[in-house]
């Protein structure tokens, strides 16, 4: 490290709170070293009301780029100079690229989701999706799938503050992607959920159900799954949720959330460096 960091080393950052648990510094620093890039990546604990100051710091210190994590993703989208098409619709960002002081915000969660499916041989175009959830991960992947030409997206959410998010996404996609049929249903309408899953190509859990401490739980009755359904989860802790286990037992193609996490990071790496992240090497190193 003492030889790698020099006076010319460019900085990348992670901004959010908390950040101490993040795997991003290890992943990006490993990748920079692998590819001989003179960059370093550090995490900074920044609260929402400090984000405007943090943006000034990105410019002042000529930080090449930054990830943004909770709870700062939405406020950061209001502070950058420009937004990617997906970030404009989602209204939140997880990546900032600094081009000589001009900050552009991107959202790569949806890109990571789509790439994770692609790795299992599944494409989005023309597909009917059922998505459980309307929070940050759900919104990002719903928007990306609409931009990538999904035929329809049926969103189910419980009766909480996120339900209005689903309706807002539906309204925004009606303008941005008018050919995609987006519908919103209450999760409590179990008959509708069962019928929509029976007609779907891809089922996605983008809620916190299945994640610790809700591990061992699933919103889907296993008898509703059929083997030709593709089942994806955004949850990556545990690596296999109950939904993924039920889907595997049914013979479905599955895409657990760990892959989405890897590929959203890899998409950010490409925005940062213009290069493909050495994902195989990193996965081998991490294992
Ligand atoms: P969020 O807080 O923004 O949204 C939470 C969602 O879960 C909402 O739709 C809410 O209605 C729903 N929900 C909460 N409790 C529920 C319950 N008991 N029953 C049914 N629905 C319930 O969260 P988020 O940031 O969108 O994260 C959702 C999951 O996705 C988390 O497990 C997170 O770790 C994961 N995630 C993964 C990636 C990745 O790259 N794999 C990226 C972002 C988030």
């Amino acid at each position: 490290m003492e030889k790698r960091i020099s006076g010319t080393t460019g900085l990348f950052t992670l901004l959010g709170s908390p950040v101490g648990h993040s795997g991003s510094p290890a992943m990006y620093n490993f990748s920079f070293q692998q590819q001989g890039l003179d960059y370093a990546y550090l995490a900074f604990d920044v609260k929402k009301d400090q984000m405007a100051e943090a943006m000034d710091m990105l410019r002042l210190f000529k930080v090449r780029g930054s990830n943004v994590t909770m709870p700062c993703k939405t406020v950061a989208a209001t502070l950058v100079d420009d937004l990617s098409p997906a970030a404009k619709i989602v209204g939140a960002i997880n990546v900032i690229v600094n081009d000589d002081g001009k900050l552009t915000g991107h959202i790569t969660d949806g890109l990571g989701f789509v790439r994770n499916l692609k790795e299992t041989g599944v494409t989005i175009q023309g597909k009917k999706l059922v998505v459980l959830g309307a929070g940050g991960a759900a919104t990002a992947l719903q928007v990306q799938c609409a931009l990538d030409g999904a035929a329809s997206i049926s969103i189910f959410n419980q009766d909480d503050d996120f339900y209005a998010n689903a309706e807002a996404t539906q309204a925004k996609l009606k303008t941005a992607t008018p050919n995609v049929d987006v519908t919103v249903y209450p999760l409590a309408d179990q008959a509708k959920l069962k019928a929509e899953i029976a007609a779907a190509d891809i089922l996605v859990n983008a809620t916190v159900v299945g994640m610790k401490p809700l591990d061992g739980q699933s919103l889907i009755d296993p008898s509703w799954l059929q083997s030709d359904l593709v089942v994806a989860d955004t949850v990556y802790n545990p690596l296999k949720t109950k939904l993924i286990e039920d889907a595997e037992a049914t013979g479905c193609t599955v895409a657990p959330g760990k892959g989405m996490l890897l590929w959203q990071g890899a998409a950010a790496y490409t925005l940062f460096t213009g290069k493909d992240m050495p994902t195989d090497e990193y996965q081998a190193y991490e294992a």
Side-chain angles (χ1 to χ4, degrees), residues 13-22 24 41 43-51 66-77 90-96 106-107 109 134-140 162 165 206 208 211 236 260-261 264:
T13 62
L14 170 64
L15 306 174
S17 184
V19 291
H21 66 289
S22 171
S24 294
Y41 185 108
F44 295 95
D45 195 300
V46 174
K47 313 277 188 269
K48 266 202 281 194
D49 62 356
Q50 298 171 310
M51 273 306 281
S66 184
N67 284 119
V68 182
T69 189
M70 297 307 287
C72 301
K73 288 174 156 190
T74 307
V75 66
V90 174
I93 60 174
N94 69 327
V95 173
I96 299 169
H106 302 259
I107 183 103
D109 292 325
T139 305
F162 289 97
N165 266 6
V208 294
M211 179 175 81
Y236 53 84
M260 174 180 170
L261 186 67
Q264 63 80 26

Side-chain angles (χ1 to χ4, degrees), residues 21-208:
H21 66 289
S22 171
S24 294
M27 181 174 79
Y28 290 115
N29 285 316
F30 172 89
S31 301
F32 295 151
Q33 185 147 10
Q34 275 281 313
Q35 297 190 327
L37 299 176
D38 188 16
Y39 296 133
Y41 185 108
L42 290 175
F44 295 95
D45 195 300
V46 174
K47 313 277 188 269
K48 266 202 281 194
D49 62 356
Q50 298 171 310
M51 273 306 281
E53 260 180 291
M55 296 291 182
D56 288 341
M57 291 303 167
L58 296 183
R59 293 191 181 91
L60 179 66
F61 293 151
K62 298 188 172 47
V63 173
R64 309 294 168 94
S66 184
N67 284 119
V68 182
T69 189
M70 297 307 287
C72 301
K73 288 174 156 190
T74 307
V75 66
T78 68
L79 296 168
V80 290
D81 303 308
D82 203 359
L83 291 167
S84 71
K88 222 171 262 177
I89 303 171
V90 174
I93 60 174
N94 69 327
V95 173
I96 299 169
V97 175
N98 183 358
D99 294 309
D100 298 324
K102 183 187 173 199
L103 304 182
T104 304
H106 302 259
I107 183 103
T108 63
D109 292 325
L111 293 170
F113 174 80
V114 169
R115 176 66 187 267
N116 191 31
L117 280 179
K118 197 171 163 211
E119 291 292 309
T120 68
V122 177
T123 53
I124 294 298
Q125 196 165 17
K127 299 288 164 61
K128 176 175 174 60
L129 286 94
V130 171
V131 182
L132 309 170
T139 305
L141 73 88
Q142 287 154 4
V143 168
Q144 193 62 49
C145 288
L147 289 172
D148 286 1
S152 70
I153 305 174
S154 304
I155 306 172
F156 287 81
N157 207 79
Q158 68 177 13
D159 183 15
D160 62 10
D161 290 351
F162 289 97
Y163 197 88
N165 266 6
E167 292 176 324
T169 301
Q170 179 186 34
K172 285 190 272 187
L173 290 177
K174 198 169 181 181
T175 309
T177 57
N179 294 332
V180 185
D181 181 22
V182 181
T183 42
V184 181
Y185 303 103
L187 184 60
D189 189 346
Q190 294 280 291
K192 189 72 194 171
L193 177 57
K194 182 182 175 187
E196 286 293 297
I197 291 172
D201 301 298
I202 303 171
L203 168 66
V204 187
N205 175 49
T207 73
V208 294

